[in-house]
Amino acid sequence: VLHRITAIVGTTAPREGEIFIGDDAAVLQGFAGQAIISTDVCVYGVHLDRDLFSLEDLGFKAVTSALSDLAAMGALPRGIVIGVSAPAGTDMEALHRGVSLASTLCDAPVVGGDLTSGVDISIAVTVFGECPGGGAVLRSGARPGDGIYVTAPLGRAAAGLRLARSGVSLDDELVLAQRRPWPRLREGLALRGAGVSAMMDLSDGLSTDLHRLADASQVGFALTSVPVATGATLEEALNGGEDYELLLTTSDEARLLLVCADRNVPAPIRVGTITSDVTSRTLDGDVLRRGGWEHRL
Amino acid sequence: VLHRITAIVGTTAPREGEIFIGDDAAVLQGFAGQAIISTDVCVYGVHLDRDLFSLEDLGFKAVTSALSDLAAMGALPRGIVIGVSAPAGTDMEALHRGVSLASTLCDAPVVGGDLTSGVDISIAVTVFGECPGGGAVLRSGARPGDGIYVTAPLGRAAAGLRLARSGVSLDDELVLAQRRPWPRLREGLALRGAGVSAMMDLSDGLSTDLHRLADASQVGFALTSVPVATGATLEEALNGGEDYELLLTTSDEARLLLVCADRNVPAPIRVGTITSDVTSRTLDGDVLRRGGWEHRL
């Protein structure tokens, strides 16, 4: 099994002097500047509906949702390691095809892994990257007066889940947004280059994640508009999770738009303004409560 | 739960400019030389007997067995991330107390983590470290004529498991070797400094792991002695897993002993010689088959 899996995920050749799978640990050449590291665990049936989505979806989504945390820092991926646990008889090749596809598309090679038996089908993905030319963008840098932006209209993943449950084809564009989310890595790099003051990824919904950014920055916010993706509802755009778009703030919109145009990434959409009163968190003047999905455990 | 766990595991202060838990990802200052990375998954009931050992043991052992892979490369730990999955009602604080104790004792801070619900109690530990002043020691560097060494007498963990099953106290020294294995990090650093030609950790037993080292180096071996720990049997020393001692080869025994004395680590014990015939793998002249524990999946 290990040999077959290695053949599936180990398709990216290491750089000169690097070693991926096969020794006690992977050996990578030095990182440019800071090392950025994050880990995510996805359990089939908890994070992804077993009746609607395949093991290939699980592998793909586990990798891209983890890489989204690198995008949120403005980091360039250097690699990932995966820890898989599954009962005997699980189609491990399907799971690892999803991992491999995501890894290849995102240019984030699988440099190591572990495989064990368990009752759950579970995959832990640890991602690591670097920030050449500068430091990572934190959640805590938003300042009063900064504009608040998102990288695209929201609610696609939540709409896709609703549609999948109603029997819409798995190849529907919104259903794909749920099954095969995409980390905004190119956007994150460009936005770091544009000197944005704070950034995070939208994993739990704007109405939850914007509170988190404001908490970390000790500021308030005035949301003035919520861009709703075609086919999604306002409620899905505001409270739906797993879009993995980026949420960011900056005081320099001109530079933001210039750098995004120069890097050929879509111009972020302004949704509001950071305010100084940490207790003032509004949407069109009304109090915006934390409404998104909260982790249950 | 997350706040309580963070209080337990987040006791090490980050270095200047570093961020551990709280943002989308951890931010570490640049690594000295290569970045060494490995991941291990431990499932309660698969890797550790639920009737004999506690969740604190699980957390401790998951961390130290993963760090052993850094020791095997001669790397210095920079940090770990943990992904925990468990059903509601699990004593998460006990699990994380074990993680925290191991992390503190090994000077490998927990810089991030994820927590989710599942049926299994499972912990994925990803470790990363650096190799200041030189490159990581691989399994593939053994050459004919090199001496083969281990860092201590073997079989303690297997003997400890046998004793625990027979009702011996959990505080027995050999039982502790099973419950609370210790990664040979100081030894690994010293041995890299001594210029050893190949190194790995003994996780599955000498009779399995020495074949792996010989396979990676494309050599044979002639084992001439197997140092048996007090209280263990020859069979446990040869085939028992989870000792996490280091297995190494070098052509320069004088330098090996000098550096180990200088670094105040015990002198490794010679167990045999590397030979050129890749098909010749012997113990006292008899063929030594792969006899250790093999992963079941």
Side-chain angles (χ1 to χ4, degrees):
Chain A
V1 173
L2 277 171
H3 284 286
R4 290 206 310 276
I5 289 174
T6 304
I8 293 170
V9 299
T11 52
T12 306
R15 299 183 192 182
E16 175 77 26
E18 297 200 333
I19 292 170
F20 291 174
I21 296 158
D23 215 296
D24 293 280
V27 178
L28 302 188
Q29 297 297 358
F31 285 32
Q34 297 165 333
I36 314 299
I37 297 160
S38 181
T39 195
D40 272 327
V41 184
C42 281
V43 180
Y44 202 36
V46 176
H47 296 85
L48 204 63
D49 191 321
R50 297 175 82 121
D51 296 327
L52 294 177
F53 303 112
S54 68
L55 283 172
E56 194 169 322
D57 291 334
L58 179 71
F60 187 99
K61 188 170 180 174
V63 169
T64 57
S65 62
L67 286 169
S68 180
D69 285 323
L70 293 186
M73 312 299 281
L76 185 68
R78 283 292 301 277
I80 66 178
V81 293
I82 54 174
V84 171
S85 160
T90 302
D91 185 352
M92 301 300 277
E93 298 193 17
L95 176 64
H96 286 85
R97 270 199 310 277
V99 167
S100 178
L101 181 60
S103 153
T104 303
L105 290 173
C106 295
D107 203 14
V110 178
V111 308
D114 193 20
L115 183 60
T116 186
S117 59
V119 175
D120 294 315
I121 300 176
S122 164
I123 173 167
V125 180
T126 303
V127 299
F128 32 90
E130 61 195 0
C131 284
V137 183
L138 309 182
R139 299 178 175 184
S140 52
R143 294 293 167 259
D146 286 358
I148 308 171
Y149 304 79
V150 294
T151 44
L154 304 175
R156 296 171 76 234
L161 184 57
R162 168 174 52 82
L163 293 172
R165 284 176 176 157
S166 74
V168 166
S169 158
L170 289 179
D171 293 328
D172 175 88
E173 195 196 335
L174 293 172
V175 177
L176 279 170
Q178 166 66 223
R179 290 168 61 209
R180 302 286 170 114
W182 189 249
R184 298 299 178 188
L185 290 160
R186 281 200 324 120
E187 288 80 351
L189 281 167
L191 293 164
R192 179 165 61 82
V196 301
S197 52
M199 187 155 66
M200 69 183 292
D201 69 327
L202 289 167
S203 54
D204 293 337
L206 181 64
S207 65
T208 297
D209 290 326
L210 182 53
H211 276 284
R212 290 182 178 143
L213 186 143
D215 289 346
S217 296
Q218 299 188 285
V219 294
F221 58 77
L223 271 186
T224 49
S225 70
V226 177
V228 181
T230 305
T233 66
L234 174 61
E235 199 278 338
E236 287 164 347
L238 194 57
N239 302 330
E242 305 194 299
D243 273 333
Y244 300 109
E245 297 296 338
L246 299 177
L247 171 68
L248 56 125
T249 62
T250 182
S251 62
D252 190 344
E253 182 168 295
R255 182 177 173 199
L256 179 72
L257 298 178
L258 192 70
V259 170
C260 287
D262 181 57
R263 302 279 195 105
N264 195 28
V265 304
I269 303 163
R270 181 151 183 174
V271 296
T273 303
I274 295 292
T275 64
S276 59
D277 180 357
V278 71
T279 66
S280 174
R281 312 263 175 106
T282 62
L283 168 60
D284 288 334
D286 295 329
V287 171
L288 178 68
R289 299 200 187 286
R290 289 161 199 268
W293 185 78
E294 292 276 347
H295 289 279
R296 273 172 294 176
L297 205 100
Chain B
V1 174
L2 277 172
H3 283 288
R4 289 206 311 276
I5 288 173
T6 304
I8 295 170
V9 298
T11 52
T12 306
R15 299 183 192 182
E16 175 78 26
E18 297 200 333
I19 293 170
F20 292 173
I21 294 157
D23 215 294
D24 293 279
V27 178
L28 302 188
Q29 297 298 358
F31 285 32
Q34 297 165 334
I36 314 298
I37 298 160
S38 181
T39 196
D40 272 328
V41 184
C42 281
V43 180
Y44 201 35
V46 175
H47 296 84
L48 205 63
D49 191 321
R50 296 173 82 122
D51 296 327
L52 293 177
F53 303 112
S54 69
L55 283 172
E56 193 169 324
D57 290 333
L58 179 72
F60 187 98
K61 188 169 179 174
V63 169
T64 57
S65 61
L67 286 169
S68 180
D69 285 323
L70 293 185
M73 312 299 282
L76 186 68
R78 284 292 301 277
I80 67 177
V81 293
I82 55 174
V84 171
S85 162
T90 302
D91 185 351
M92 301 301 275
E93 299 194 19
L95 176 65
H96 286 85
R97 269 199 311 277
V99 167
S100 177
L101 181 61
S103 153
T104 303
L105 291 174
C106 295
D107 202 13
V110 178
V111 308
D114 193 20
L115 183 60
T116 186
S117 59
V119 175
D120 295 314
I121 300 176
S122 163
I123 174 167
V125 180
T126 303
V127 298
F128 32 91
E130 62 195 0
C131 285
V137 183
L138 309 182
R139 296 179 177 186
S140 52
R143 294 294 167 258
D146 286 359
I148 308 170
Y149 304 79
V150 295
T151 45
L154 304 175
R156 295 172 75 234
L161 184 58
R162 167 173 53 81
L163 293 173
R165 284 176 176 156
S166 74
V168 167
S169 159
L170 290 178
D171 294 328
D172 176 87
E173 194 196 338
L174 292 172
V175 177
L176 278 170
Q178 166 66 225
R179 292 168 59 208
R180 304 285 170 113
W182 189 249
R184 298 298 177 188
L185 290 159
R186 280 200 325 120
E187 288 79 353
L189 281 167
L191 293 164
R192 179 165 63 80
V196 301
S197 52
M199 188 155 64
M200 68 183 294
D201 68 327
L202 288 167
S203 54
D204 293 337
L206 181 64
S207 63
T208 297
D209 290 327
L210 182 53
H211 277 284
R212 291 183 177 142
L213 186 143
D215 290 346
S217 298
Q218 299 189 284
V219 294
F221 59 76
L223 271 185
T224 48
S225 68
V226 177
V228 181
T230 305
T233 67
L234 174 62
E235 200 279 338
E236 287 164 345
L238 193 58
N239 302 329
E242 306 194 298
D243 271 333
Y244 300 109
E245 297 296 339
L246 299 177
L247 171 67
L248 57 125
T249 62
T250 183
S251 63
D252 191 344
E253 182 168 295
R255 183 175 172 199
L256 178 74
L257 298 178
L258 193 69
V259 170
C260 287
D262 181 57
R263 301 280 195 104
N264 194 27
V265 303
I269 303 162
R270 181 151 184 175
V271 297
T273 304
I274 295 292
T275 62
S276 58
D277 180 358
V278 71
T279 65
S280 174
R281 313 263 175 106
T282 61
L283 169 59
D284 287 334
D286 294 329
V287 171
L288 178 69
R289 300 200 185 285
R290 289 162 198 269
W293 187 77
E294 291 277 345
H295 288 282
R296 272 171 297 175
L297 206 100

